[in-house]
Amino acid sequence: MPVDVVFRARRRFVLRPGPDGRVTVSAPRSMGRAAVLAWLGGEGADVLASVARRLPAADELERRRAWGRLRKGDVVAVWGRPVAVRLEATEGRPAARVEGGSLVLGVPDPEDPSEEARQLRRRLFEGLLRSELAAAVPGARERAERAVGTGTGRWTVRRMGSRWGSCRPSTGSVSVALDLACHNPAFLDLVAVHEVAHMEAPDHGPRFSEVMDRALPGWRGLQADLDREGMRLPADAPAKARVRG
C-alpha cells in the first residue's frame, strides 16, 4: 500500500489512514528512513495492517475523485444516495438540482473543459449540498435537544477537513460538516446529538458516554459506520453559512 513518511519531534510512531488511500507515518526525527521502513516491516507490521483496514475501498476512492471532477457520468452522493452527474446547457443562472437518479448541473457550456468550468460545477454541487443540509439541520437540532434535554445557540454549516462537527459549550454554538449532506441522514442526527451532548459533558469521558447512551442508543455503531465512510468532499475552499431556523 502507498505509505508517506514524515519526521516529527516525537518519541513514538503515529500512523493515520488518509482519504486518498495512503497511510501517513509520523516518525521520530532521530530515525532514518531505512529504520522506519524496517520497523514497518517488523514490529510495526500489525499496526500498519490495522490502520490499512481503515483506508477507503477502491470504489470509494473513485467516488471521491469524481466529486473533484463532476464530469458527465461521474457518480456522487446526496444524502447517501448515488446520483450520476448530468450536464445541461442553460442561458440563465447556473444551478444544480437532483432529479431522479441524477445530479443535474445547468451550466453555460457542458463541453467546456477549462478549470473555471470545473470550479463552477464544484460550486454548484456544494451550493446544493449546503442548501440541503441547512434545511435539514433545524429538525436534527430539535430532535437532539429534546433527546439530550438541553438547548443550544447558533448553528452553522462549515467545510471541515476531518471533523463531523464542533461546538463551544460556553456560547452554545454548534457547527456541522457540509460533508454530512453526502451521507445517510441518520448520520446528521448522530452528529447533532454528539454536539448537543457536549453541552452537558465538554469532553469524551464517562459522563459524555452516559448522555449519548441515554439520548441515542446504538450511537457507537453509527459512529463507526460514519467514520468508515469518511469525508467525501475535497478538503479545500472552506466556507461558512448560517443555518435557517
Side-chain angles (χ1 to χ4, degrees):
M1 79 197 69
V3 175
D4 294 323
V5 178
V6 296
F7 293 94
R8 307 288 190 201
R10 61 173 70 249
R11 296 183 179 180
R12 60 188 180 88
F13 290 94
V14 176
L15 282 68
R16 293 187 177 89
D20 58 353
R22 305 176 70 90
V23 174
T24 297
V25 180
S26 296
R29 285 178 177 164
S30 58
M31 300 188 70
R33 186 171 296 271
V36 173
L37 294 178
W39 181 84
L40 291 172
E43 181 183 351
D46 289 342
V47 179
L48 179 59
S50 175
V51 173
R53 285 193 290 270
R54 291 152 51 198
L55 289 171
D59 58 345
E60 177 67 20
L61 284 174
E62 177 54 31
R63 287 194 176 185
R64 294 182 187 185
R65 297 185 188 103
W67 292 311
R69 298 183 309 241
L70 294 176
R71 297 191 301 238
K72 178 182 177 181
D74 280 339
V75 177
V76 295
V78 177
W79 293 124
R81 296 188 299 110
V83 289
V85 175
R86 192 171 87 218
L87 303 179
E88 290 185 349
T90 179
E91 295 181 358
R93 183 176 181 178
R97 70 182 187 277
V98 174
E99 187 175 276
S102 298
L103 169 66
V104 183
L105 301 177
V107 294
D109 181 3
E111 304 299 326
D112 186 351
S114 69
E115 176 65 17
E116 290 78 7
R118 185 181 74 88
Q119 292 295 336
L120 172 60
R121 297 193 298 270
R122 284 264 300 270
R123 289 195 299 272
L124 292 176
F125 177 48
E126 293 178 23
L128 171 71
L129 294 177
R130 194 173 295 280
S131 296
E132 290 282 328
L133 189 56
V137 160
R141 170 184 181 171
E142 180 181 356
R143 291 188 293 272
E145 291 178 343
R146 184 169 60 248
V148 175
T150 191
T152 57
R154 189 180 71 159
W155 286 54
T156 56
V157 172
R158 294 198 301 125
R159 286 287 295 272
M160 297 187 183
S162 60
R163 303 174 68 182
W164 299 109
S166 64
C167 67
R168 289 187 177 181
S170 60
T171 64
S173 64
V174 174
S175 294
V176 295
L178 175 62
D179 208 288
L180 286 166
C182 294
H183 300 266
N184 188 301
F187 294 133
L188 171 58
D189 281 315
L190 165 69
V191 173
V193 172
H194 183 118
E195 300 308 327
V196 176
H198 277 313
M199 304 299 165
E200 298 289 326
D203 58 24
H204 289 104
R207 173 58 179 159
F208 173 81
S209 296
E210 291 175 6
V211 174
M212 290 295 294
D213 288 339
R214 184 188 72 244
L216 189 64
W219 66 275
R220 290 177 177 83
L222 277 174
Q223 187 68 61
D225 290 342
L226 178 57
D227 290 341
R228 191 175 300 112
E229 290 187 10
M231 290 283 177
R232 290 175 164 173
L233 291 174
D236 58 349
K240 179 184 288 189
R242 181 73 178 268
V243 176
R244 300 192 302 272

